[in-house]
Amino acid sequence: MLKRYALDPDVVADGMAFAAFVGGLGVEHGRLMAEFPRTWIRMAFERARSIPSMRQQKRAEILLERLRTEAQLKCRAGLEFDGEEPWLTNAECHVDEFDAVIHPDDAEPSIVSERLYPATSLLEDQSYWQVNRHENFTAKAGVYLGLLEPLACLRSSVSIMDPYFEPRRDEFVKGLSEIVSLVKTPRSVVVHASAEPRDGAPTESSAQWEDVCREHLGALVDADTNLTIVRWLRGASGSRPHARWLVTPVGGVFLDRGFALDNRGNAVTLMDAVEAARLWEAYGTAPFASNEFELREIVPITTSLSSSSATVRELSG
């Protein structure tokens, strides 16, 4: 669903191929450029300045500025790089870590790999550039580690909406635990749920809900993890929380059946950038800017029992 690509900095000199590469990137498209090495942007700018044509040089620098400033286009590779060796030699050592390694047409790889491609291949319909924006899966243990890791690890903050989230049920706690483990530290995870009555049962009071959350979710919290549970009531229009999703500051996904690990069929779909940005602004971090629903309470799950109790009492009156 999310693919990672390594690009030789020398490819910036190939105007058409580089434009096609940058234009196809983005979390919403399922494609990210791996910053390999961490100094990739600097290396690429240096290469761009050596392009003879000032017009082509300017175009390359504009595209590089996009890569430098737009976080949804790239991710850290976190792989060793020997500065004494050529870029392609380094990439060949880690070729299996990328969905494709793209090099200048005149470069000669020293190994044979189905993941090595010349830059002009970006102008063709190549399988390595094709992405499934929608995937069906079975919600079993370990599934989120593969599906959501490339997205969740991009940032240290994640917000989740699952209206039916129930901390008493192991399948929800296990699903949340997997997602929490994916977020880079120090991490902040917000879970949004519905406070609307279910099956005729009365809604739990804020104090009861806090006790349940603290009892069943406290094990997910440590010195590097902030976990917050938020409940919502139906809004002024009568609408109630329904959609299930995960968003970060750089993109998100929809989950058809939520995040419980219940061995049932489920499906995940990449969210378009505009909707992901809207949801993050409304639900990413407190104070929440949503006007769709009525806020019931915010429960921080912390290692300090007194701090979480004080917050709930303040919101619930």
Side-chain angles (χ1 to χ4, degrees), residues 43-80:
M43 294 170 63
F45 266 111
E46 290 176 355
R47 179 64 181 90
R49 295 186 188 105
S50 69
I51 297 174
S53 168
M54 290 300 296
R55 184 175 183 181
Q56 293 180 11
Q57 181 183 134
K58 184 62 176 179
R59 287 177 176 174
E61 290 177 345
I62 290 173
L63 292 172
L64 284 171
E65 189 64 19
R66 278 196 63 195
L67 282 174
R68 188 184 71 81
T69 59
E70 297 183 23
Q72 69 271 22
L73 304 182
K74 61 186 183 297
C75 62
R76 291 285 175 85
L79 300 171
E80 292 185 1

PDB file of all heavy atoms in Angstrom, residues 43-80:
ATOM      1  N   MET A  43      22.899  16.536  -1.192  1.00  0.00           N
ATOM      2  CA  MET A  43      23.611  15.931  -2.309  1.00  0.00           C
ATOM      3  C   MET A  43      22.932  16.251  -3.638  1.00  0.00           C
ATOM      4  O   MET A  43      23.588  16.559  -4.640  1.00  0.00           O
ATOM      5  CB  MET A  43      23.688  14.411  -2.116  1.00  0.00           C
ATOM      6  CG  MET A  43      24.536  13.980  -0.935  1.00  0.00           C
ATOM      7  SD  MET A  43      24.357  12.201  -0.562  1.00  0.00           S
ATOM      8  CE  MET A  43      25.001  11.475  -2.080  1.00  0.00           C
ATOM      9  N   ALA A  44      21.595  16.198  -3.641  1.00  0.00           N
ATOM     10  CA  ALA A  44      20.850  16.444  -4.874  1.00  0.00           C
ATOM     11  C   ALA A  44      20.938  17.909  -5.295  1.00  0.00           C
ATOM     12  O   ALA A  44      21.041  18.215  -6.492  1.00  0.00           O
ATOM     13  CB  ALA A  44      19.393  16.025  -4.683  1.00  0.00           C
ATOM     14  N   PHE A  45      20.895  18.839  -4.339  1.00  0.00           N
ATOM     15  CA  PHE A  45      21.052  20.253  -4.680  1.00  0.00           C
ATOM     16  C   PHE A  45      22.433  20.506  -5.291  1.00  0.00           C
ATOM     17  O   PHE A  45      22.570  21.284  -6.250  1.00  0.00           O
ATOM     18  CB  PHE A  45      20.851  21.131  -3.446  1.00  0.00           C
ATOM     19  CG  PHE A  45      19.445  21.643  -3.274  1.00  0.00           C
ATOM     20  CD1 PHE A  45      18.640  21.184  -2.240  1.00  0.00           C
ATOM     21  CD2 PHE A  45      18.917  22.578  -4.150  1.00  0.00           C
ATOM     22  CE1 PHE A  45      17.350  21.643  -2.078  1.00  0.00           C
ATOM     23  CE2 PHE A  45      17.628  23.053  -3.996  1.00  0.00           C
ATOM     24  CZ  PHE A  45      16.839  22.578  -2.963  1.00  0.00           C
ATOM     25  N   GLU A  46      23.452  19.877  -4.741  1.00  0.00           N
ATOM     26  CA  GLU A  46      24.796  20.039  -5.291  1.00  0.00           C
ATOM     27  C   GLU A  46      24.854  19.535  -6.728  1.00  0.00           C
ATOM     28  O   GLU A  46      25.485  20.162  -7.594  1.00  0.00           O
ATOM     29  CB  GLU A  46      25.800  19.288  -4.420  1.00  0.00           C
ATOM     30  CG  GLU A  46      26.011  19.920  -3.045  1.00  0.00           C
ATOM     31  CD  GLU A  46      26.932  19.098  -2.175  1.00  0.00           C
ATOM     32  OE1 GLU A  46      27.331  17.988  -2.612  1.00  0.00           O
ATOM     33  OE2 GLU A  46      27.252  19.543  -1.056  1.00  0.00           O
ATOM     34  N   ARG A  47      24.189  18.416  -6.993  1.00  0.00           N
ATOM     35  CA  ARG A  47      24.164  17.884  -8.358  1.00  0.00           C
ATOM     36  C   ARG A  47      23.389  18.813  -9.280  1.00  0.00           C
ATOM     37  O   ARG A  47      23.779  19.031 -10.439  1.00  0.00           O
ATOM     38  CB  ARG A  47      23.526  16.487  -8.359  1.00  0.00           C
ATOM     39  CG  ARG A  47      23.429  15.863  -9.743  1.00  0.00           C
ATOM     40  CD  ARG A  47      24.807  15.626 -10.308  1.00  0.00           C
ATOM     41  NE  ARG A  47      24.756  15.046 -11.646  1.00  0.00           N
ATOM     42  CZ  ARG A  47      24.717  15.753 -12.776  1.00  0.00           C
ATOM     43  NH1 ARG A  47      24.711  17.092 -12.713  1.00  0.00           N
ATOM     44  NH2 ARG A  47      24.700  15.152 -13.951  1.00  0.00           N
ATOM     45  N   ALA A  48      22.287  19.384  -8.787  1.00  0.00           N
ATOM     46  CA  ALA A  48      21.466  20.279  -9.611  1.00  0.00           C
ATOM     47  C   ALA A  48      22.258  21.510 -10.038  1.00  0.00           C
ATOM     48  O   ALA A  48      22.105  22.006 -11.163  1.00  0.00           O
ATOM     49  CB  ALA A  48      20.209  20.685  -8.851  1.00  0.00           C
ATOM     50  N   ARG A  49      23.117  22.013  -9.158  1.00  0.00           N
ATOM     51  CA  ARG A  49      23.878  23.224  -9.484  1.00  0.00           C
ATOM     52  C   ARG A  49      24.904  22.988 -10.581  1.00  0.00           C
ATOM     53  O   ARG A  49      25.431  23.941 -11.155  1.00  0.00           O
ATOM     54  CB  ARG A  49      24.561  23.748  -8.220  1.00  0.00           C
ATOM     55  CG  ARG A  49      23.569  24.224  -7.154  1.00  0.00           C
ATOM     56  CD  ARG A  49      24.266  24.873  -5.978  1.00  0.00           C
ATOM     57  NE  ARG A  49      23.312  25.149  -4.909  1.00  0.00           N
ATOM     58  CZ  ARG A  49      23.221  24.433  -3.788  1.00  0.00           C
ATOM     59  NH1 ARG A  49      24.042  23.411  -3.595  1.00  0.00           N
ATOM     60  NH2 ARG A  49      22.319  24.729  -2.869  1.00  0.00           N
ATOM     61  N   SER A  50      25.170  21.718 -10.881  1.00  0.00           N
ATOM     62  CA  SER A  50      26.133  21.417 -11.937  1.00  0.00           C
ATOM     63  C   SER A  50      25.468  21.207 -13.293  1.00  0.00           C
ATOM     64  O   SER A  50      26.155  20.979 -14.290  1.00  0.00           O
ATOM     65  CB  SER A  50      26.930  20.158 -11.567  1.00  0.00           C
ATOM     66  OG  SER A  50      26.110  19.001 -11.612  1.00  0.00           O
ATOM     67  N   ILE A  51      24.133  21.328 -13.356  1.00  0.00           N
ATOM     68  CA  ILE A  51      23.430  21.176 -14.628  1.00  0.00           C
ATOM     69  C   ILE A  51      23.760  22.375 -15.519  1.00  0.00           C
ATOM     70  O   ILE A  51      23.593  23.528 -15.107  1.00  0.00           O
ATOM     71  CB  ILE A  51      21.902  21.079 -14.395  1.00  0.00           C
ATOM     72  CG1 ILE A  51      21.578  19.829 -13.561  1.00  0.00           C
ATOM     73  CG2 ILE A  51      21.153  21.042 -15.725  1.00  0.00           C
ATOM     74  CD1 ILE A  51      20.105  19.732 -13.164  1.00  0.00           C
ATOM     75  N   PRO A  52      24.234  22.161 -16.735  1.00  0.00           N
ATOM     76  CA  PRO A  52      24.678  23.280 -17.599  1.00  0.00           C
ATOM     77  C   PRO A  52      23.570  24.276 -17.917  1.00  0.00           C
ATOM     78  O   PRO A  52      23.801  25.494 -17.897  1.00  0.00           O
ATOM     79  CB  PRO A  52      25.162  22.574 -18.868  1.00  0.00           C
ATOM     80  CG  PRO A  52      25.480  21.176 -18.431  1.00  0.00           C
ATOM     81  CD  PRO A  52      24.505  20.852 -17.358  1.00  0.00           C
ATOM     82  N   SER A  53      22.380  23.799 -18.209  1.00  0.00           N
ATOM     83  CA  SER A  53      21.284  24.688 -18.565  1.00  0.00           C
ATOM     84  C   SER A  53      20.694  25.333 -17.318  1.00  0.00           C
ATOM     85  O   SER A  53      20.221  24.637 -16.415  1.00  0.00           O
ATOM     86  CB  SER A  53      20.189  23.911 -19.311  1.00  0.00           C
ATOM     87  OG  SER A  53      19.004  24.676 -19.416  1.00  0.00           O
ATOM     88  N   MET A  54      20.715  26.664 -17.259  1.00  0.00           N
ATOM     89  CA  MET A  54      20.156  27.364 -16.098  1.00  0.00           C
ATOM     90  C   MET A  54      18.663  27.092 -15.958  1.00  0.00           C
ATOM     91  O   MET A  54      18.141  26.997 -14.845  1.00  0.00           O
ATOM     92  CB  MET A  54      20.408  28.864 -16.239  1.00  0.00           C
ATOM     93  CG  MET A  54      21.864  29.253 -16.076  1.00  0.00           C
ATOM     94  SD  MET A  54      22.519  28.772 -14.435  1.00  0.00           S
ATOM     95  CE  MET A  54      21.495  29.787 -13.366  1.00  0.00           C
ATOM     96  N   ARG A  55      17.963  26.956 -17.088  1.00  0.00           N
ATOM     97  CA  ARG A  55      16.528  26.687 -17.037  1.00  0.00           C
ATOM     98  C   ARG A  55      16.262  25.316 -16.419  1.00  0.00           C
ATOM     99  O   ARG A  55      15.402  25.173 -15.542  1.00  0.00           O
ATOM    100  CB  ARG A  55      15.945  26.763 -18.452  1.00  0.00           C
ATOM    101  CG  ARG A  55      14.435  26.598 -18.506  1.00  0.00           C
ATOM    102  CD  ARG A  55      13.941  26.798 -19.920  1.00  0.00           C
ATOM    103  NE  ARG A  55      12.485  26.725 -19.988  1.00  0.00           N
ATOM    104  CZ  ARG A  55      11.800  26.843 -21.112  1.00  0.00           C
ATOM    105  NH1 ARG A  55      12.434  27.065 -22.259  1.00  0.00           N
ATOM    106  NH2 ARG A  55      10.490  26.761 -21.088  1.00  0.00           N
ATOM    107  N   GLN A  56      17.002  24.292 -16.847  1.00  0.00           N
ATOM    108  CA  GLN A  56      16.831  22.953 -16.294  1.00  0.00           C
ATOM    109  C   GLN A  56      17.286  22.904 -14.839  1.00  0.00           C
ATOM    110  O   GLN A  56      16.694  22.203 -14.007  1.00  0.00           O
ATOM    111  CB  GLN A  56      17.599  21.949 -17.133  1.00  0.00           C
ATOM    112  CG  GLN A  56      17.047  21.757 -18.534  1.00  0.00           C
ATOM    113  CD  GLN A  56      17.840  20.745 -19.335  1.00  0.00           C
ATOM    114  OE1 GLN A  56      18.681  20.040 -18.787  1.00  0.00           O
ATOM    115  NE2 GLN A  56      17.597  20.694 -20.640  1.00  0.00           N
ATOM    116  N   GLN A  57      18.321  23.668 -14.531  1.00  0.00           N
ATOM    117  CA  GLN A  57      18.788  23.725 -13.146  1.00  0.00           C
ATOM    118  C   GLN A  57      17.707  24.291 -12.238  1.00  0.00           C
ATOM    119  O   GLN A  57      17.453  23.759 -11.149  1.00  0.00           O
ATOM    120  CB  GLN A  57      20.047  24.594 -13.063  1.00  0.00           C
ATOM    121  CG  GLN A  57      20.623  24.696 -11.672  1.00  0.00           C
ATOM    122  CD  GLN A  57      21.828  25.623 -11.630  1.00  0.00           C
ATOM    123  OE1 GLN A  57      21.950  26.466 -10.751  1.00  0.00           O
ATOM    124  NE2 GLN A  57      22.726  25.479 -12.599  1.00  0.00           N
ATOM    125  N   LYS A  58      17.048  25.366 -12.686  1.00  0.00           N
ATOM    126  CA  LYS A  58      15.993  25.983 -11.883  1.00  0.00           C
ATOM    127  C   LYS A  58      14.830  25.014 -11.671  1.00  0.00           C
ATOM    128  O   LYS A  58      14.273  24.923 -10.567  1.00  0.00           O
ATOM    129  CB  LYS A  58      15.504  27.262 -12.579  1.00  0.00           C
ATOM    130  CG  LYS A  58      14.468  28.035 -11.783  1.00  0.00           C
ATOM    131  CD  LYS A  58      15.028  28.515 -10.447  1.00  0.00           C
ATOM    132  CE  LYS A  58      14.010  29.367  -9.707  1.00  0.00           C
ATOM    133  NZ  LYS A  58      14.524  29.822  -8.394  1.00  0.00           N
ATOM    134  N   ARG A  59      14.452  24.281 -12.730  1.00  0.00           N
ATOM    135  CA  ARG A  59      13.359  23.316 -12.599  1.00  0.00           C
ATOM    136  C   ARG A  59      13.709  22.243 -11.568  1.00  0.00           C
ATOM    137  O   ARG A  59      12.874  21.850 -10.746  1.00  0.00           O
ATOM    138  CB  ARG A  59      13.070  22.675 -13.954  1.00  0.00           C
ATOM    139  CG  ARG A  59      12.363  23.589 -14.949  1.00  0.00           C
ATOM    140  CD  ARG A  59      12.187  22.893 -16.284  1.00  0.00           C
ATOM    141  NE  ARG A  59      11.436  23.717 -17.227  1.00  0.00           N
ATOM    142  CZ  ARG A  59      11.245  23.391 -18.500  1.00  0.00           C
ATOM    143  NH1 ARG A  59      11.747  22.243 -18.971  1.00  0.00           N
ATOM    144  NH2 ARG A  59      10.567  24.184 -19.290  1.00  0.00           N
ATOM    145  N   ALA A  60      14.948  21.764 -11.628  1.00  0.00           N
ATOM    146  CA  ALA A  60      15.377  20.739 -10.679  1.00  0.00           C
ATOM    147  C   ALA A  60      15.342  21.279  -9.252  1.00  0.00           C
ATOM    148  O   ALA A  60      14.904  20.588  -8.320  1.00  0.00           O
ATOM    149  CB  ALA A  60      16.776  20.253 -11.027  1.00  0.00           C
ATOM    150  N   GLU A  61      15.769  22.525  -9.057  1.00  0.00           N
ATOM    151  CA  GLU A  61      15.787  23.108  -7.720  1.00  0.00           C
ATOM    152  C   GLU A  61      14.380  23.326  -7.179  1.00  0.00           C
ATOM    153  O   GLU A  61      14.141  23.174  -5.971  1.00  0.00           O
ATOM    154  CB  GLU A  61      16.566  24.422  -7.738  1.00  0.00           C
ATOM    155  CG  GLU A  61      18.064  24.218  -7.950  1.00  0.00           C
ATOM    156  CD  GLU A  61      18.828  25.520  -8.044  1.00  0.00           C
ATOM    157  OE1 GLU A  61      18.169  26.581  -8.239  1.00  0.00           O
ATOM    158  OE2 GLU A  61      20.061  25.496  -7.916  1.00  0.00           O
ATOM    159  N   ILE A  62      13.437  23.655  -8.048  1.00  0.00           N
ATOM    160  CA  ILE A  62      12.039  23.812  -7.609  1.00  0.00           C
ATOM    161  C   ILE A  62      11.489  22.475  -7.113  1.00  0.00           C
ATOM    162  O   ILE A  62      10.824  22.392  -6.070  1.00  0.00           O
ATOM    163  CB  ILE A  62      11.167  24.363  -8.756  1.00  0.00           C
ATOM    164  CG1 ILE A  62      11.524  25.828  -9.033  1.00  0.00           C
ATOM    165  CG2 ILE A  62       9.681  24.238  -8.419  1.00  0.00           C
ATOM    166  CD1 ILE A  62      10.846  26.402 -10.256  1.00  0.00           C
ATOM    167  N   LEU A  63      11.770  21.413  -7.851  1.00  0.00           N
ATOM    168  CA  LEU A  63      11.316  20.076  -7.435  1.00  0.00           C
ATOM    169  C   LEU A  63      12.007  19.649  -6.143  1.00  0.00           C
ATOM    170  O   LEU A  63      11.378  19.047  -5.261  1.00  0.00           O
ATOM    171  CB  LEU A  63      11.578  19.069  -8.543  1.00  0.00           C
ATOM    172  CG  LEU A  63      10.749  19.240  -9.819  1.00  0.00           C
ATOM    173  CD1 LEU A  63      11.245  18.308 -10.911  1.00  0.00           C
ATOM    174  CD2 LEU A  63       9.266  18.986  -9.539  1.00  0.00           C
ATOM    175  N   LEU A  64      13.266  19.956  -6.013  1.00  0.00           N
ATOM    176  CA  LEU A  64      13.983  19.610  -4.789  1.00  0.00           C
ATOM    177  C   LEU A  64      13.440  20.379  -3.585  1.00  0.00           C
ATOM    178  O   LEU A  64      13.396  19.856  -2.468  1.00  0.00           O
ATOM    179  CB  LEU A  64      15.473  19.891  -4.956  1.00  0.00           C
ATOM    180  CG  LEU A  64      16.237  18.873  -5.803  1.00  0.00           C
ATOM    181  CD1 LEU A  64      17.649  19.366  -6.084  1.00  0.00           C
ATOM    182  CD2 LEU A  64      16.270  17.521  -5.114  1.00  0.00           C
ATOM    183  N   GLU A  65      13.038  21.616  -3.815  1.00  0.00           N
ATOM    184  CA  GLU A  65      12.450  22.389  -2.720  1.00  0.00           C
ATOM    185  C   GLU A  65      11.146  21.750  -2.255  1.00  0.00           C
ATOM    186  O   GLU A  65      10.842  21.747  -1.059  1.00  0.00           O
ATOM    187  CB  GLU A  65      12.213  23.838  -3.174  1.00  0.00           C
ATOM    188  CG  GLU A  65      11.796  24.778  -2.056  1.00  0.00           C
ATOM    189  CD  GLU A  65      12.867  24.941  -0.990  1.00  0.00           C
ATOM    190  OE1 GLU A  65      14.056  24.630  -1.249  1.00  0.00           O
ATOM    191  OE2 GLU A  65      12.507  25.376   0.120  1.00  0.00           O
ATOM    192  N   ARG A  66      10.372  21.204  -3.200  1.00  0.00           N
ATOM    193  CA  ARG A  66       9.160  20.460  -2.813  1.00  0.00           C
ATOM    194  C   ARG A  66       9.520  19.276  -1.930  1.00  0.00           C
ATOM    195  O   ARG A  66       8.900  19.025  -0.894  1.00  0.00           O
ATOM    196  CB  ARG A  66       8.426  19.960  -4.045  1.00  0.00           C
ATOM    197  CG  ARG A  66       7.528  20.954  -4.738  1.00  0.00           C
ATOM    198  CD  ARG A  66       6.579  20.225  -5.685  1.00  0.00           C
ATOM    199  NE  ARG A  66       5.695  19.327  -4.944  1.00  0.00           N
ATOM    200  CZ  ARG A  66       4.969  18.360  -5.497  1.00  0.00           C
ATOM    201  NH1 ARG A  66       5.043  18.150  -6.807  1.00  0.00           N
ATOM    202  NH2 ARG A  66       4.189  17.602  -4.763  1.00  0.00           N
ATOM    203  N   LEU A  67      10.536  18.528  -2.349  1.00  0.00           N
ATOM    204  CA  LEU A  67      10.957  17.374  -1.561  1.00  0.00           C
ATOM    205  C   LEU A  67      11.462  17.804  -0.185  1.00  0.00           C
ATOM    206  O   LEU A  67      11.249  17.106   0.813  1.00  0.00           O
ATOM    207  CB  LEU A  67      12.051  16.601  -2.293  1.00  0.00           C
ATOM    208  CG  LEU A  67      11.601  15.699  -3.440  1.00  0.00           C
ATOM    209  CD1 LEU A  67      12.815  15.113  -4.158  1.00  0.00           C
ATOM    210  CD2 LEU A  67      10.707  14.572  -2.934  1.00  0.00           C
ATOM    211  N   ARG A  68      12.123  18.931  -0.135  1.00  0.00           N
ATOM    212  CA  ARG A  68      12.679  19.391   1.139  1.00  0.00           C
ATOM    213  C   ARG A  68      11.599  19.813   2.114  1.00  0.00           C
ATOM    214  O   ARG A  68      11.701  19.549   3.324  1.00  0.00           O
ATOM    215  CB  ARG A  68      13.645  20.560   0.904  1.00  0.00           C
ATOM    216  CG  ARG A  68      14.416  20.984   2.149  1.00  0.00           C
ATOM    217  CD  ARG A  68      15.282  22.196   1.882  1.00  0.00           C
ATOM    218  NE  ARG A  68      14.477  23.399   1.714  1.00  0.00           N
ATOM    219  CZ  ARG A  68      13.979  24.120   2.731  1.00  0.00           C
ATOM    220  NH1 ARG A  68      14.215  23.750   3.975  1.00  0.00           N
ATOM    221  NH2 ARG A  68      13.267  25.199   2.491  1.00  0.00           N
ATOM    222  N   THR A  69      10.532  20.448   1.617  1.00  0.00           N
ATOM    223  CA  THR A  69       9.546  21.065   2.506  1.00  0.00           C
ATOM    224  C   THR A  69       8.262  20.264   2.701  1.00  0.00           C
ATOM    225  O   THR A  69       7.570  20.464   3.693  1.00  0.00           O
ATOM    226  CB  THR A  69       9.160  22.458   1.971  1.00  0.00           C
ATOM    227  OG1 THR A  69       8.624  22.331   0.644  1.00  0.00           O
ATOM    228  CG2 THR A  69      10.373  23.372   1.939  1.00  0.00           C
ATOM    229  N   GLU A  70       7.920  19.378   1.780  1.00  0.00           N
ATOM    230  CA  GLU A  70       6.647  18.660   1.880  1.00  0.00           C
ATOM    231  C   GLU A  70       6.885  17.280   2.477  1.00  0.00           C
ATOM    232  O   GLU A  70       7.338  16.347   1.805  1.00  0.00           O
ATOM    233  CB  GLU A  70       5.982  18.562   0.506  1.00  0.00           C
ATOM    234  CG  GLU A  70       5.625  19.930  -0.068  1.00  0.00           C
ATOM    235  CD  GLU A  70       4.902  19.837  -1.400  1.00  0.00           C
ATOM    236  OE1 GLU A  70       4.299  18.791  -1.691  1.00  0.00           O
ATOM    237  OE2 GLU A  70       4.958  20.830  -2.162  1.00  0.00           O
ATOM    238  N   ALA A  71       6.539  17.167   3.755  1.00  0.00           N
ATOM    239  CA  ALA A  71       6.856  15.947   4.507  1.00  0.00           C
ATOM    240  C   ALA A  71       6.129  14.716   3.986  1.00  0.00           C
ATOM    241  O   ALA A  71       6.590  13.591   4.190  1.00  0.00           O
ATOM    242  CB  ALA A  71       6.520  16.152   5.980  1.00  0.00           C
ATOM    243  N   GLN A  72       4.986  14.896   3.333  1.00  0.00           N
ATOM    244  CA  GLN A  72       4.210  13.745   2.867  1.00  0.00           C
ATOM    245  C   GLN A  72       4.827  13.054   1.658  1.00  0.00           C
ATOM    246  O   GLN A  72       4.305  12.048   1.187  1.00  0.00           O
ATOM    247  CB  GLN A  72       2.775  14.162   2.537  1.00  0.00           C
ATOM    248  CG  GLN A  72       2.606  15.043   1.320  1.00  0.00           C
ATOM    249  CD  GLN A  72       2.719  16.522   1.635  1.00  0.00           C
ATOM    250  OE1 GLN A  72       3.316  16.892   2.645  1.00  0.00           O
ATOM    251  NE2 GLN A  72       2.137  17.357   0.800  1.00  0.00           N
ATOM    252  N   LEU A  73       5.952  13.577   1.166  1.00  0.00           N
ATOM    253  CA  LEU A  73       6.576  13.003  -0.018  1.00  0.00           C
ATOM    254  C   LEU A  73       7.724  12.051   0.300  1.00  0.00           C
ATOM    255  O   LEU A  73       8.159  11.299  -0.574  1.00  0.00           O
ATOM    256  CB  LEU A  73       7.118  14.115  -0.929  1.00  0.00           C
ATOM    257  CG  LEU A  73       6.140  15.186  -1.398  1.00  0.00           C
ATOM    258  CD1 LEU A  73       6.855  16.171  -2.324  1.00  0.00           C
ATOM    259  CD2 LEU A  73       4.941  14.577  -2.098  1.00  0.00           C
ATOM    260  N   LYS A  74       8.199  12.064   1.524  1.00  0.00           N
ATOM    261  CA  LYS A  74       9.430  11.331   1.811  1.00  0.00           C
ATOM    262  C   LYS A  74       9.407  10.711   3.202  1.00  0.00           C
ATOM    263  O   LYS A  74       8.557  11.023   4.029  1.00  0.00           O
ATOM    264  CB  LYS A  74      10.632  12.256   1.683  1.00  0.00           C
ATOM    265  CG  LYS A  74      10.618  13.439   2.633  1.00  0.00           C
ATOM    266  CD  LYS A  74      11.774  14.384   2.351  1.00  0.00           C
ATOM    267  CE  LYS A  74      11.828  15.547   3.336  1.00  0.00           C
ATOM    268  NZ  LYS A  74      10.631  16.409   3.249  1.00  0.00           N
ATOM    269  N   CYS A  75      10.392   9.820   3.426  1.00  0.00           N
ATOM    270  CA  CYS A  75      10.551   9.195   4.726  1.00  0.00           C
ATOM    271  C   CYS A  75      12.037   8.936   4.954  1.00  0.00           C
ATOM    272  O   CYS A  75      12.834   8.927   4.012  1.00  0.00           O
ATOM    273  CB  CYS A  75       9.757   7.884   4.812  1.00  0.00           C
ATOM    274  SG  CYS A  75      10.294   6.625   3.624  1.00  0.00           S
ATOM    275  N   ARG A  76      12.396   8.744   6.189  1.00  0.00           N
ATOM    276  CA  ARG A  76      13.783   8.425   6.510  1.00  0.00           C
ATOM    277  C   ARG A  76      14.056   6.954   6.188  1.00  0.00           C
ATOM    278  O   ARG A  76      13.230   6.087   6.470  1.00  0.00           O
ATOM    279  CB  ARG A  76      14.058   8.690   7.987  1.00  0.00           C
ATOM    280  CG  ARG A  76      14.036  10.182   8.341  1.00  0.00           C
ATOM    281  CD  ARG A  76      15.302  10.862   7.841  1.00  0.00           C
ATOM    282  NE  ARG A  76      15.278  12.290   8.059  1.00  0.00           N
ATOM    283  CZ  ARG A  76      15.639  12.881   9.192  1.00  0.00           C
ATOM    284  NH1 ARG A  76      16.012  12.139  10.219  1.00  0.00           N
ATOM    285  NH2 ARG A  76      15.604  14.190   9.301  1.00  0.00           N
ATOM    286  N   ALA A  77      15.228   6.680   5.644  1.00  0.00           N
ATOM    287  CA  ALA A  77      15.583   5.294   5.322  1.00  0.00           C
ATOM    288  C   ALA A  77      16.173   4.580   6.530  1.00  0.00           C
ATOM    289  O   ALA A  77      15.933   3.394   6.737  1.00  0.00           O
ATOM    290  CB  ALA A  77      16.564   5.268   4.155  1.00  0.00           C
ATOM    291  N   GLY A  78      16.965   5.306   7.321  1.00  0.00           N
ATOM    292  CA  GLY A  78      17.558   4.698   8.505  1.00  0.00           C
ATOM    293  C   GLY A  78      18.552   3.594   8.189  1.00  0.00           C
ATOM    294  O   GLY A  78      18.685   2.639   8.963  1.00  0.00           O
ATOM    295  N   LEU A  79      19.255   3.707   7.071  1.00  0.00           N
ATOM    296  CA  LEU A  79      20.193   2.677   6.638  1.00  0.00           C
ATOM    297  C   LEU A  79      21.613   3.245   6.587  1.00  0.00           C
ATOM    298  O   LEU A  79      21.811   4.430   6.343  1.00  0.00           O
ATOM    299  CB  LEU A  79      19.803   2.151   5.252  1.00  0.00           C
ATOM    300  CG  LEU A  79      18.412   1.518   5.140  1.00  0.00           C
ATOM    301  CD1 LEU A  79      18.071   1.254   3.673  1.00  0.00           C
ATOM    302  CD2 LEU A  79      18.350   0.229   5.945  1.00  0.00           C
ATOM    303  N   GLU A  80      22.592   2.378   6.804  1.00  0.00           N
ATOM    304  CA  GLU A  80      23.980   2.814   6.766  1.00  0.00           C
ATOM    305  C   GLU A  80      24.381   3.252   5.361  1.00  0.00           C
ATOM    306  O   GLU A  80      23.905   2.707   4.363  1.00  0.00           O
ATOM    307  CB  GLU A  80      24.893   1.674   7.234  1.00  0.00           C
ATOM    308  CG  GLU A  80      24.743   1.340   8.701  1.00  0.00           C
ATOM    309  CD  GLU A  80      25.751   0.289   9.142  1.00  0.00           C
ATOM    310  OE1 GLU A  80      26.564  -0.148   8.293  1.00  0.00           O
ATOM    311  OE2 GLU A  80      25.723  -0.092  10.321  1.00  0.00           O
TER     312      GLU A  80
END
